[in-house]
Amino acid sequence: MDGLDAEPVNRPRVRPAAGHGLGHRPLPPLSLYVHVPWCVRKCPYCDFNSHQADGELPEQAYLAALQADLEHALPLIWGRQVISIFIGGGTPSLLSAQAIDTMLASFRACLNVLPDAEITLEANPGTAEAGRFLDYAASGVNRISLGIQSFNDEALRALGRIHDSRQARAAIEMAQKAVERVNLDVMYALPGQSLQACQEDLQAAMAFQTGHLSLYHLTLEPNTVFAKFPPPLPDDDLAAAMHEHIIEATTAAGWEQYEVSAYARPGQRSLHNQNYWTFGDYLGLGPGAHGKLSFHDRIIRQARHRMPESWMSRCMQRDGSQIVEERALAPQELPFEFMLNALRLKEGVEAGLFSAHTGLPVTAIFPTLKRLEERNLLSLTGGRLRTTELGWRYLNDVLEDFLQ
């Protein structure tokens, strides 16, 4: 959840768009995203809103600001059920167990959080943080997402990670003892990585038999150290071979690729991320957090101020100045916004979900659907909208059609 690179001088007032045509429809599911902005050290490939922590974290000031941020947002979501909470970063596991307990207690007091809501906490494999996993679970965290990235110490050093393979393995074991649902983030196409090294990383990850794997192709994002000083990366053919091996190996071992980078065992899909991908709603709290909220007559997007100290200060003013962007989506934006997420899902979505979550009739996109079907890039059969195998391979080209 990236923050903004620039801050508008004034926060725009949101009004219902004239002739929006969304109608009175049921609102989509609602999730909560919470951003913890601090890391021990900024990784050279990372373009998230993360800041190196100098000394002790300002936990109390952060929690007070988070409470104020939440209270300001309550009128927008009053009475709606929260199906999932995702605490991301940064490195949320730098927060003490008491801080996470206070945070979740506050959410339960102010929000209609479902008793069985999925509550995920991102964590780094450092030993100090891993020692808190049981306490996090006691506070209500029921899913831990570990940023492993690699089990190869040389690769970890190239990525600027602060943990080694031994700590990674120990953290996975501690996470599995604390919660039933564990995700491992692993990257491939790393600096100097061979196909064999990629295979060994994947084999090591699968050996732990976690329910979920997030397997990402390393990309050089703008405004990162790697973008300024590019490391030697595998060429496209080698990266494609790595990707092909990942799909074959995970399928054979019982994981299903249900999204571009997500692989899960039965019953272990990420509810929170699936809500994003089906164009559900999410309230974003914390520095740099983004949100998308639906109303009966409009859909809005929000973004918070990205600098932690300034965000905390603005929240405590209680005037909403921590929100630096808030705008209603125009009807012509909605098809692309919906498809950008939904077509990431391997099995696609029910066609009726387009109308349910955008308020627009599916006939609004019939010309584009017909054009893509004729090119064998998209399929609309049995009431289900999904890419073909060819469309899945050229997903960016498919999405560009919805920008027209």
Side-chain angles (χ1 to χ4, degrees), residues 127-190:
T127 303
E129 297 99 301
R132 301 174 178 152
F133 289 170
L134 286 172
D135 291 331
Y136 292 149
S139 298
V141 172
N142 53 33
R143 186 174 182 270
I144 292 175
S145 181
L146 283 168
I148 301 299
Q149 314 313 354
S150 177
F151 292 90
N152 182 294
D153 286 337
E154 184 177 344
L156 289 170
R157 286 190 292 270
L159 291 173
R161 303 295 289 175
I162 62 170
H163 68 273
D164 58 26
S165 59
R166 178 189 58 81
Q167 290 173 313
R169 295 172 188 277
I172 296 170
E173 291 174 356
M174 284 188 271
Q176 289 178 310
K177 291 177 181 177
V179 297
E180 292 185 1
R181 304 184 64 197
V182 176
N183 169 64
L184 305 183
D185 281 353
V186 178
M187 288 182 173
Y188 67 96
L190 305 179

Side-chain angles (χ1 to χ4, degrees), residues 39-61:
C39 286
V40 174
R41 185 173 66 205
K42 182 85 169 180
C43 295
Y45 59 85
C46 178
D47 69 335
F48 293 120
N49 183 33
S50 58
H51 304 263
Q52 184 167 318
D54 296 320
E56 189 174 346
L57 296 186
E59 282 191 347
Q60 295 309 309

Side-chain angles (χ1 to χ4, degrees), residues 11-56:
R11 174 188 170 196
R13 182 183 298 275
V14 173
R15 297 183 177 89
H20 205 295
L22 293 181
H24 291 279
R25 71 202 191 285
L27 298 179
L30 175 66
S31 295
L32 175 63
Y33 174 80
V34 185
H35 192 73
V36 181
W38 297 285
C39 286
V40 174
R41 185 173 66 205
K42 182 85 169 180
C43 295
Y45 59 85
C46 178
D47 69 335
F48 293 120
N49 183 33
S50 58
H51 304 263
Q52 184 167 318
D54 296 320
E56 189 174 346

Side-chain angles (χ1 to χ4, degrees), residues 19 23 214 230 330 348 371 395:
S214 297
R371 194 163 57 244
L395 184 56

Side-chain angles (χ1 to χ4, degrees), residues 51-267:
H51 304 263
Q52 184 167 318
D54 296 320
E56 189 174 346
L57 296 186
E59 282 191 347
Q60 295 309 309
Y62 171 78
L63 291 172
L66 193 65
Q67 178 69 25
D69 200 2
L70 173 60
E71 290 173 0
H72 181 268
L74 285 179
L76 299 177
I77 58 168
W78 194 255
R80 294 182 63 180
Q81 292 181 328
V82 176
I83 64 168
S84 65
I85 299 172
F86 194 101
I87 307 170
T91 308
S93 55
L94 290 178
L95 292 177
S96 68
Q98 180 59 48
I100 295 296
D101 186 68
T102 299
M103 179 192 299
L104 292 179
S106 170
F107 295 156
R108 294 189 191 97
C110 297
L111 300 170
N112 184 11
V113 180
L114 291 179
D116 60 348
E118 177 187 274
I119 303 179
T120 301
L121 182 134
E122 283 188 333
N124 274 359
T127 303
E129 297 99 301
R132 301 174 178 152
F133 289 170
L134 286 172
D135 291 331
Y136 292 149
S139 298
V141 172
N142 53 33
R143 186 174 182 270
I144 292 175
S145 181
L146 283 168
I148 301 299
Q149 314 313 354
S150 177
F151 292 90
N152 182 294
D153 286 337
E154 184 177 344
L156 289 170
R157 286 190 292 270
L159 291 173
R161 303 295 289 175
I162 62 170
H163 68 273
D164 58 26
S165 59
R166 178 189 58 81
Q167 290 173 313
R169 295 172 188 277
I172 296 170
E173 291 174 356
M174 284 188 271
Q176 289 178 310
K177 291 177 181 177
V179 297
E180 292 185 1
R181 304 184 64 197
V182 176
N183 169 64
L184 305 183
D185 281 353
V186 178
M187 288 182 173
Y188 67 96
L190 305 179
Q193 189 177 43
S194 65
L195 178 58
Q196 180 180 347
C198 171
Q199 293 170 339
E200 290 171 353
D201 263 352
L202 180 61
Q203 183 178 9
M206 292 193 301
F208 285 95
Q209 296 292 304
T210 61
H212 198 281
L213 297 171
S214 297
L215 305 172
Y216 299 102
H217 186 299
L218 174 64
T219 56
L220 303 186
E221 301 291 350
N223 304 313
T224 63
V225 174
F226 272 5
K228 187 174 182 180
F229 305 103
L233 298 178
D235 61 28
D236 290 345
D237 289 341
L238 178 52
M242 293 177 180
H243 185 238
E244 184 176 344
H245 170 75
I246 286 169
I247 293 174
E248 292 175 354
T250 51
T251 300
W255 279 273
E256 175 193 16
Q257 183 189 21
Y258 69 100
E259 187 268 342
V260 173
S261 302
Y263 302 74
R265 293 186 180 280

